[in-house]
Amino acid sequence: MEVMGDPKEAGAEGPPAGAAARAGLSLLSQGESEEPSAQGSALFLGGNEVKSRAVVKYSSAPPRTAFARLEEKTDLKLPPANWLRESAKLGPAGTTILGNSKKSKPFSSFGMAYDFIDSVGNDVDVVSDSENIKKLLKIPYSKSHVSMAVHRIGRTLLLDELDIQELFMRSSQTGDWTWLKEFYQRLIDQKWQRKKKSKEHWYQKAILSKFLYYSINGDGAAQPVSSTAEQQESSSSDQTNDSEGASWPAPFEMPSSVSEDPSASSQGLKNDFVRNILWTFEDIHMLVGSNMPIFGGGRYPAVSLRLRDNNKPINVLTGIDYWLDNLICNVPELVMCFHVNGIVQKYEMIKTEEIPNLENSNFSTKVIKDIAQNILSFLKSNCTKEGHTYWLFKASGSDIVKLYDLTTLCEETEDKYQNPFTMPVAILLYKVACNMMMKKNQNKKHYGTIRTLLLNCLKLLDKSRHPQIIASANYMLSELFQLDEPKKEENSESPLNENSDESYSEEEEEMPDSDENGSYSTSSDPSDDSKAVAIIKSVGELSVPEKYKSIHQIRPSCAFPVCHDTEERCRLVLSYVLEGLKSVDSSIKKESDLPAADPSTPIPLKYEDESTRGGPEGLEKQMALFLDKMGSLQKGNYSSQSGMIPGSWQHKMKLQLILKSSKAYYVLSDAAMSLQKYGRALRYIKLALQSHDTYCCLCTNMLSEVLLFLSQYLTLCGDIQLMLAQNANNRAAHLEEFHYQTKEDQEILHSLHRESSCQGFAWATDLSTDLESQLSVSCKCYEAANEILQFSDLKSQNPEHYVQVLKRMGNIRNEIGVFYMNQAAALQSERVVSKSVSAAEQQLWKKSFSCFEKGIHNFESIEDATNAALLLCNTGRLMRICAQAHCGAGDEFKREFSPEEGLYYNKAIDYYLKALRSLGTRDIHPAVWDSVNWELSTTYFTMATLQQDYAPLSRKAQEQIEKEVSEAMMKSLKYCDVDSMSARQPLCQYRAATIHHRLASMYHSCLRNQVGDEHLRKQHRVLADLHYSKAAKLFQLLKDAPCELLRVQLERVAFAEFQMTSQNSNVGKLKTLSGALDIMVRTEHAFQLIQKELVEEFGQPKSGDAAPAADASPSLNREEVMKLLSIFESRLSFLLLQSIKLLSSTKKKTSNNIEDDAVLKTNKHIYSQLLRATANKTATLLERINVIVHLLGQLAAGSAASSSAVQ
């Protein structure tokens, strides 16, 4: 059983909502715990079972004392010695001569609700004073009037006595509630005047008071005991039909302190009961306050003591009263003391379950149960609007019970804040929401309920009077929306839309009238009842079982709003944040210190002087300032411009709200980024950083979590700047998006500007039009993000984020390195060849190299081998650019391969080899591996080609150069992968073919130019032949290199011719000749490719528009083809002629060779055709090629025929 102490010991306010640890509260005292309350009791009465169970949640009563039996003939008119002295035994009794029979305070249920905030809105149906509950359950039996205020909080109803007469007496002094007074007199009860209390009434009160004092202290000695509590004894309830009301307490006007601090908001609304009991009556759960004195000394651990006038029989009302009191307090026995004219006669003991069967006061407990269920159903069905004050009224002697919605009536008048219940209800809504928020992680299905509670709370509050609660409620509303998981939107929304049985709808309408439950039809007199929400036409109906169907079990669900996208959700959050900020700002009175700013006009942002904006150099300064500031934050450096006091509620709340806005803007920016709206993304991240900057100004000690946010914001900002740099073509659109601002954003910014200039991150969020500065800003953002991670041990706590930041730093440094490298290459291409390298170029190389180096370091520190390899590869490319820049000055003719070129190419090769080592094997990243291999092959090839074409003969011997060229070419071949199927395969094949061709040419030229030892010549001959055949084979595989193939074959023919010159015998020459003609035949493939291209070229203009033939096939170099064709024709005619001559001369010597005859005949025939064709100067290129293809076909057929004849 939950145990609570006296709220007075915890200060006048009840414990704050959700405070689980209630330190310093006294436990129940020994005697109290003997009460069998925790077990509860079920009473069986006359066969009709009524289930009742009571659990004492809190008691401030002293240990129970046995009651003193008074002697017969004791005169109760004489005061006992201890009368009106505070007594620990009785519990603090009222110290007025009349015993101050205080029925109930108007806000008593709120005091209890504040103390048991966990139960409110959730599992309790009713919170009220036991007197009010008894009054309701006696409605069908009693003629007396009933006037109660009803409030709904979640599924809980709060019931309080609403003493209209008292209210009007006050309003005549204050001028409040005049509208209600008029309404009341017009509609309800013009005739009803307050009855004066009779002399008899006061006499009875005095006797009762003296009786209780005698009972606790039989010997009559006074025992003054000081006590902190001031609860008054409850009256005996025999004046049940008395129309006396409660005195309206001070908190009728809410104390000004409420607006200052919501934790004190229940000030004056104390939980004034000796006991708070959780009473379950059938299926109704009630939190009840009771002040009934309980004694020991009967047959049971607890008894209640009553004084009765022997001349007046007990009536039904008194019986119900006694029975309910005992049920609520779980007291099993009633002790009655009878007196005549104040002289004690006798005592009588009655068990609680026997009370309904007493003579003269018979009543059915079953009927009482039905009445309870009907009244609850009636109220639950009709008091649907949270935050509204309902008034349940039955005039004295009337049978009709009416329910009015005072809030709606009040709104028809000028001031909606006139209702004295507004404030307690708002604060209770707020506290219940707070309490649920504490547990929000346990159950997201309550989000809809919390939201409704808060929205209803905000509706009730006056902005000027309660800025703190308004700010806090708005902040809580913003907290209900998950911003942390923008990527997992779908999942995070699902639990919020499930129907929740605890929720209820803020717009729930009254049930329509339906005949079957005979419910709330209005009477025919419009003037009277038109204002009532619902009416019970006759109190008799309440006794009919289930006359009023309860609909509170099937309340419509209060669904949480579904935000379909991140942007919508963030906008909702920002709207609440803005309301909260406005509320905080309005409560800071130092407006005069600030320049007046109109929220509808954008705030002009001061730009820094030119020096700070001048590209990367200015950035360095700003970065240094920023890092200083970050360092000082660690120490705690507070600087608000609006004059907020650190630690005040405004300060704490504004910090929370600003942090929330920065998160929301960050999520918006992230969303815009993924939609490729980079201008919008930059605008949002700018707002996020401005919010954060303000947070930094206000914050007295920076949490590492908040520093992490900043690191994330800066990382995103770096991403956005990089994307803007890469999408320069769409700049106008981005610029427009960047400068657009919603009114909401302007107002939030206005609130931020009250605290700081928001310029701390201006360097990061400027939209520059210059590519270099965009890249360097992006880099600085990442560097700043990285610096922040170094401050505390954020790096080790957030390894994923740290890796991301370093990856981005490596990437941006690569981008900047490439940017400078491309600039250097551009400068180089503009430079006149003969000029030497400019200082500007060298400067760019240095910058580029430095960026690559830092980037490589970044990637290596997070063991990202692939990216490190890519940057090493780029560094290699930079080295090649440096090498190209150093290509020999002076004339092309005199040019030689310079040592600087060699140096830089070798450096490039080193970097490429490092890249391969970084990758380790091809499996790690095949594409990068292949790319590095290709670049390495290219570098070797370029170096060899340059050495071959511009041989440095002034420095090296020919043999040395040939050796170096040959080695470089072979290495190039090693890294050139011809066999793997890939997009790059044709390139590799072409490269390999070119290498073989070049090597063959080199050996061919050595053979021609060198005299010397025969062994070397033979070696060169073999190598030349080998490389020529490999080159031809590779070129043959390619579809787009016919000219190259032709050239290789022609060179092979020339090589054969060269060999022929050194041959003496005709047989040897014939053999070489036929080999050369064979090579000629094999060029047919190349001519067919050229023929095909030319045919396509000529065919094109016919199909489409007349396109110039030259453009149609750029791949075919016509001049080249003409040149090669002429050489080919001349070589072919030369070979045929030589062959004819040789065959003719051998024929004369040996006339019996049939094969030679056939060859001679064929060759003569072809030769004559060729001569005729070459003589025709008007023939087109295509015609000439057709002739050649035709002749080569004949030649091939002839040689085939002759070879078959041989066989």
Side-chain angles (χ1 to χ4, degrees), residues 1047-1114:
R1047 184 177 283 108
V1048 170
Q1049 300 292 41
L1050 284 172
E1051 277 190 31
R1052 287 178 80 183
V1053 170
F1055 184 55
E1057 286 177 19
F1058 172 66
Q1059 282 175 290
M1060 207 164 70
T1061 54
S1062 61
Q1063 285 174 324
N1064 300 324
S1065 73
N1066 282 1
V1067 178
K1069 283 186 177 180
L1070 264 174
K1071 194 174 179 188
T1072 309
L1073 267 176
S1074 73
L1077 281 168
D1078 211 28
I1079 292 168
M1080 286 293 203
V1081 168
R1082 269 187 255 145
T1083 58
E1084 187 180 5
H1085 176 65
F1087 281 115
Q1088 281 168 341
L1089 285 173
I1090 294 171
Q1091 186 183 29
K1092 189 175 164 207
E1093 286 206 30
L1094 286 169
V1095 169
E1096 279 173 10
E1097 193 179 305
F1098 285 123
Q1100 260 183 339
K1102 291 171 195 165
S1103 60
D1105 304 328
D1111 295 355
S1113 180

Side-chain angles (χ1 to χ4, degrees), residues 962-980:
E962 282 167 9
K963 184 171 176 247
E964 284 178 13
V965 169
S966 154
E967 278 174 8
M969 288 291 193
M970 292 317 282
K971 279 184 181 158
S972 180
L973 269 177
K974 175 185 167 188
Y975 292 108
C976 183
D977 180 6
V978 181
D979 305 318
S980 299

Side-chain angles (χ1 to χ4, degrees), residues 395 403 648 779 1157:
L403 184 73
S648 65
C779 186
D1157 284 355

Side-chain angles (χ1 to χ4, degrees), residues 752-765:
L752 298 178
H753 273 279
R754 291 170 59 96
E755 311 304 336
S756 94
S757 65
C758 302
Q759 288 292 304
F761 298 98
W763 56 269
T765 53

Side-chain angles (χ1 to χ4, degrees), residues 571-583:
R571 279 281 154 215
L572 256 175
V573 167
L574 287 169
S575 67
Y576 292 132
V577 166
L578 176 59
E579 286 307 311
L581 286 172
K582 282 180 178 170
S583 186

